[in-house]
């Protein structure tokens, strides 16, 4: 019996990275027009970070995040 109804499996855990998002926004602001790239093995949370941390943080400072998934082509 699970005595924590808010979390049934590990899939329910969400790790937020607000400080990392702020640091990337700082890098983008410091070098307008210059891209940043994230490189890491698959399934470590790059897309999740973009979607759940960086894009919302960017919206809050008035930026317009655009997501293009090349794999969908
Ligand atoms: N911060 C996080 N909190 C909870 N689950 C996460 C987190 N980051 C990634 N995941 C989960 O891990 C899996 C892989 O993440 P994903 O962002 O697709 O990896 P990547 O883009 O690096 O290949 C997904 O099922 C995603 O939901
Ligand atoms: Mg990805």
């Amino acid at each position: 019996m699970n005595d924590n109804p808010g979390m049934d499996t590990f899939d329910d855990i969400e790790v937020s990275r607000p400080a990392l998002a702020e640091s990337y926004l700082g890098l983008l602001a410091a070098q307008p027009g210059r891209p940043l790239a994230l490189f890491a093995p698959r399934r470590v949370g790059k897309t999740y970070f973009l979607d759940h941390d960086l894009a919302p943080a960017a919206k809050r400072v008035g930026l317009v995040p655009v997501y293009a998934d090349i794999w969908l082509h």
Side-chain angles (χ1 to χ4, degrees), residues 5-49:
M7 198 195 102
D8 296 319
T9 76
F10 284 117
D11 286 342
D12 294 332
I13 296 174
E14 289 181 24
V15 179
S16 297
R17 296 187 170 98
L20 189 61
E22 291 305 320
S23 96
Y24 280 126
L25 286 182
L27 288 172
L28 290 169
Q31 299 185 305
R34 293 201 60 184
L36 291 177
L38 296 185
F39 294 97
R42 302 182 73 172
R43 308 293 294 171
V44 298
K46 301 179 300 295
T47 297
Y48 190 99
F49 169 71

